[in-house]
Amino acid sequence: MSATPQKNRVPRRVLAAAAGLATVGALVAALPAGAHDRGHGNGHGHGHPARTVDVQLLSFNDLHGNLEPPAGSAGAVGETQADGTVKSVPAGGVEYLATSLRTARKGHPYSVTAAGGDMVGASPLLSGLFHDEPTIEALNKLDLDVTSVGNHEFDEGAVELGRLQDGGCHPVEGCYEKGRKFQGADFPYLAANVTAEKTGRPVLKPYTVWKKNGVKIGFIGVTLEGTPNIVTANGVKGLKFHDEIETVNKYAKELDRQGVKSIVALIHEGGAPASSSYNYDCDSPGAGDGISGPIVDIAKGITPKVDALVTGHTHQAYVCTVPDPSGKPRMVTSASSFGKLYTDTTLTYDRRTKDIVRTSVSSANHIVGRDQAKASDMTALIARWNTLAAPIAGRPQGFISADINGRGSTAPEKPLGNLIADAQLEGLAPADKGGAVVAFMNPGGIRSDLVYAASGSEGDGVVTYGEAFTVQPFTNMMNVVDLTGAQLVTALKQQVSGSNEASPKILQVSRGLTYTLDMTKSGADRVVADSVRLNGEAIDPAKTYRVAMNEFLAGGGDGFAALGQGTNKLVGPSDLDLFNAYLAAHSTASTPLAPPATDRITILK
């Protein structure tokens, strides 16, 4: 999902010159296409191979460093039952994902595993504290063959992404374990549509070719063109992001010229199925009828040379056929997020034409259930990093009386969103802290729920530092700025208009701000302008208000250009510091914090 990008927690090297960019090993475009090629399985046996061979494509997307099973409603998938009811099934965690993939590969000598981006970034403490090295290690053990970059791969900039690819200890924090150097990813990160501004060359490999016993499948990887709108300026400095369709078509032509006729596009952009159940048929009543969003137009524009699209970004689950430009059906898939699902696609490869027999492509999503055996190598990896994280992760920050839903809430106004906004307002309201009268929080920056059940030995209802970090892992610095009443109302209208019209981004607001959202109307008219009130008083368009928000929103991120027009900026503490301070001030073991009411935004449907 669109989310607050990560604040650079430590100073980073800047992309000073194109030459500097090109010398980072992973950022050189001119690597040989087969540098990381790898296949699974035992070969095809003796004698003449059959005319066709079934290649198993296993895929997933948007892992976001969730090595441990995600907590609460964010760690469940909806499954529609035979009687039409929807059952919530706990899912995810790399111990189970590894088992699921390894089980699925059995009996498939031709099996390739690919991912659709956002493997890292916005990660829980166990991975985020160590700049996502634990997740790259886990993906290596999973035998991931290839992934596209996503927007979150750029949270800490292209040089840090290059380190995740190539290895080496962190330039500031060094090596985390004595005698152990970070090895980097043993699979290629693909970034075909991300180029260096000064050279025009891709910053990572644009494509790779998987080969086994004469079978060749090309993979092209792109992230969404709008990545700069949802990542901090530092993260995308010196980079240019290009149109997804044009880029994929360009490299599909190049692969075709090299004799690679079977091509899969890994695209970190997605759609919205009409149902949130993972087993919903989005080809009902007709092909692709049950899905909408950016990926539909992208799929319709990508050359027929591409045989399947693995997608992501929206954290939705779908297996759809969307027609290509020639009108032929083509598989478009996404496997939710956080390792809760994987997609199993059969690509029938014709050895004579070297292409996929498109009419026989089949695909399905599968739950990564927690009722199967854990992969022992993943259990050991998690335990190793948890030992390093424990002194920080286990510190109690506060107490809650029940689950406070954020990421797992589908409502526009989320209880955890209100809690975060209230914490930001309280911390920045004093005159010497900024004098804020209202606070805004972007919904994509809320990465999980606060769960009442203990995650470790801390006890039920105890919020640990690790749990608070998982909610807000970006460590964004807070800003307080001057905005006019007119700008404030314009910002509210930008939630449901412009780039946010098709998929609204509803800001979470601090107590005292109320308004009505009329979803029967369209665009900016959905915000009932004369309903906007602050502490009971109508917003005065000409009056100046002190508004608190994280630096991502203050930079106009997520399509909120009006919030980027603030003046008289004061930089405050980090969002996480304010959140933890609020928990400490408002809860004890005997008087835990209850979930806040969601009564600030009135929704008309």
Side-chain angles (χ1 to χ4, degrees):
M1 304 291 277
S2 174
T4 321
Q6 186 161 355
K7 165 79 170 62
N8 295 339
R9 288 192 294 271
V10 293
R12 308 266 172 220
R13 285 181 290 162
V14 180
L15 301 178
L21 183 66
T23 54
V24 180
L27 303 182
V28 176
L31 285 176
H36 289 275
D37 295 341
R38 182 177 68 222
H40 299 296
N42 303 312
H44 202 78
H46 301 291
H48 294 291
R51 163 83 185 257
T52 63
V53 58
D54 282 349
V55 177
Q56 178 189 56
L57 171 62
L58 301 176
S59 57
F60 58 96
N61 51 277
D62 296 275
L63 181 64
H64 290 288
N66 279 266
L67 302 181
E68 296 176 297
S73 53
V77 293
E79 180 180 61
T80 300
Q81 307 298 296
D83 62 1
T85 59
V86 178
K87 177 182 173 186
S88 181
V89 182
V94 293
E95 293 161 297
Y96 303 111
L97 179 60
T99 298
S100 289
L101 294 176
R102 289 163 184 170
T103 302
R105 287 176 191 140
K106 286 177 182 169
H108 293 275
Y110 294 82
S111 183
V112 56
T113 304
D118 276 6
M119 294 296 97
V120 300
S123 305
L125 186 83
L126 176 61
S127 187
L129 188 63
F130 306 106
H131 297 278
D132 283 310
E133 290 181 20
T135 297
I136 299 296
E137 283 190 5
L139 293 171
N140 289 344
K141 289 178 184 290
L142 277 179
D143 282 338
L144 182 63
D145 287 296
V146 58
T147 183
S148 69
V149 293
N151 52 290
H152 282 281
E153 263 83 19
F154 294 94
D155 282 350
E156 295 190 33
V159 173
E160 172 63 3
L161 174 56
R163 186 183 75 87
L164 291 182
Q165 176 75 84
D166 280 358
C169 296
H170 192 272
V172 173
E173 295 175 24
C175 298
Y176 295 112
E177 296 170 286
K178 194 174 180 183
R180 193 192 286 253
K181 181 186 170 189
F182 174 58
Q183 296 300 307
D186 66 8
F187 51 89
Y189 257 114
L190 304 181
N193 67 330
V194 188
T195 59
E197 282 180 350
K198 292 194 176 175
T199 66
R201 299 175 68 193
V203 297
L204 288 168
K205 291 175 65 175
Y207 60 81
T208 192
V209 181
W210 178 87
K211 300 172 187 171
K212 186 172 178 64
N213 295 344
V215 173
K216 293 181 186 178
I217 297 178
F219 289 88
I220 303 166
V222 296
T223 185
L224 70 155
E225 186 182 7
T227 291
N229 303 326
I230 51 176
V231 172
T232 49
N234 275 346
V236 294
K237 192 168 186 176
L239 304 176
K240 203 164 180 195
F241 292 77
H242 302 271
D243 181 84
E244 304 94 336
I245 298 171
E246 289 173 13
T247 304
V248 172
N249 290 352
K250 171 186 167 184
Y251 286 109
K253 197 180 285 184
E254 191 170 310
L255 282 166
D256 187 59
R257 278 200 303 267
Q258 293 175 17
V260 179
K261 308 294 184 184
S262 301
I263 303 171
V264 175
L266 308 175
I267 303 176
H268 191 71
E269 177 61 290
S275 164
S276 59
S277 291
Y278 88 94
N279 56 342
Y280 163 69
D281 179 7
C282 67
D283 282 340
S284 175
D289 284 350
I291 188 169
S292 59
I295 199 61
V296 177
D297 288 336
I298 291 172
K300 287 177 178 176
I302 284 179
T303 173
K305 292 182 194 300
V306 173
D307 298 295
L309 277 59
V310 171
T311 73
H313 187 56
T314 58
H315 290 204
Q316 302 297 307
Y318 47 83
V319 173
C320 304
T321 51
V322 178
D324 70 16
S326 72
K328 282 176 64 182
R330 179 169 54 194
M331 200 61 75
V332 179
T333 69
S334 174
S336 183
S337 63
F338 301 171
K340 294 182 287 189
L341 298 176
Y342 72 93
T343 312
D344 189 336
T345 302
T346 301
L347 302 172
T348 300
Y349 182 92
D350 186 323
R351 288 182 181 275
R352 196 171 300 165
T353 64
K354 301 180 182 176
D355 207 348
I356 300 302
V357 183
R358 193 92 72 77
T359 52
S360 65
V361 173
S362 62
S363 191
N365 274 328
H366 301 277
I367 296 180
V368 176
R370 300 181 195 167
D371 53 356
Q372 58 186 320
K374 295 179 178 181
S376 58
D377 56 338
M378 294 300 178
T379 304
L381 180 145
I382 288 169
R384 199 180 100 234
W385 287 102
N386 262 332
T387 301
L388 291 172
I392 296 170
R395 290 202 307 257
Q397 303 298 310
F399 304 85
I400 55 174
S401 62
D403 288 358
I404 304 180
N405 284 347
R407 192 76 188 182
S409 167
T410 55
E413 182 184 352
K414 308 171 192 305
L416 188 50
N418 286 357
L419 177 62
I420 291 168
D422 287 350
Q424 294 176 353
L425 177 61
E426 180 170 296
L428 299 170
D432 62 336
K433 305 288 187 195
V437 295
V438 65
F440 290 137
M441 174 64 189
N442 57 310
I446 307 167
R447 303 307 298 186
S448 71
D449 303 334
L450 273 188
V451 179
Y452 177 78
S455 59
S457 58
E458 76 275 10
D460 291 346
V462 179
V463 180
T464 64
Y465 184 88
E467 290 165 342
F469 181 97
T470 298
V471 169
Q472 291 197 99
F474 302 104
T475 351
N476 271 306
M477 303 312 288
M478 291 301 300
N479 289 183
V480 185
V481 299
D482 284 349
L483 287 173
T484 65
Q487 288 170 323
L488 200 149
V489 172
T490 298
L492 293 177
K493 290 184 173 185
Q494 286 169 346
Q495 301 175 110
V496 288
S497 64
S499 60
N500 294 330
E501 181 161 5
S503 182
K505 292 190 178 78
I506 306 303
L507 295 166
Q508 308 297 288
V509 299
S510 55
R511 72 163 61 90
L513 186 79
T514 57
Y515 69 97
T516 298
L517 204 53
D518 185 350
M519 298 308 285
T520 66
K521 295 187 172 157
S522 62
D525 290 341
R526 289 169 171 171
V527 174
V528 181
D530 58 8
S531 72
V532 185
R533 296 216 167 347
L534 184 59
N535 301 321
E537 290 185 15
I539 294 290
D540 180 348
K543 186 177 170 184
T544 296
Y545 297 86
R546 294 290 283 165
V547 183
M549 65 194 94
N550 60 48
E551 61 188 333
F552 172 63
L553 281 178
D558 264 355
F560 291 102
L563 297 181
Q565 295 166 358
T567 58
N568 195 18
K569 179 169 77 175
L570 183 141
V571 178
S574 76
D575 50 9
L576 182 60
D577 287 345
L578 290 182
F579 186 53
N580 284 331
Y582 189 87
L583 290 171
H586 291 273
S587 67
T588 63
S590 56
T591 58
L593 200 62
T598 50
D599 54 4
R600 301 170 191 184
I601 308 172
T602 302
I603 311 281
L604 304 178
K605 291 184 179 177

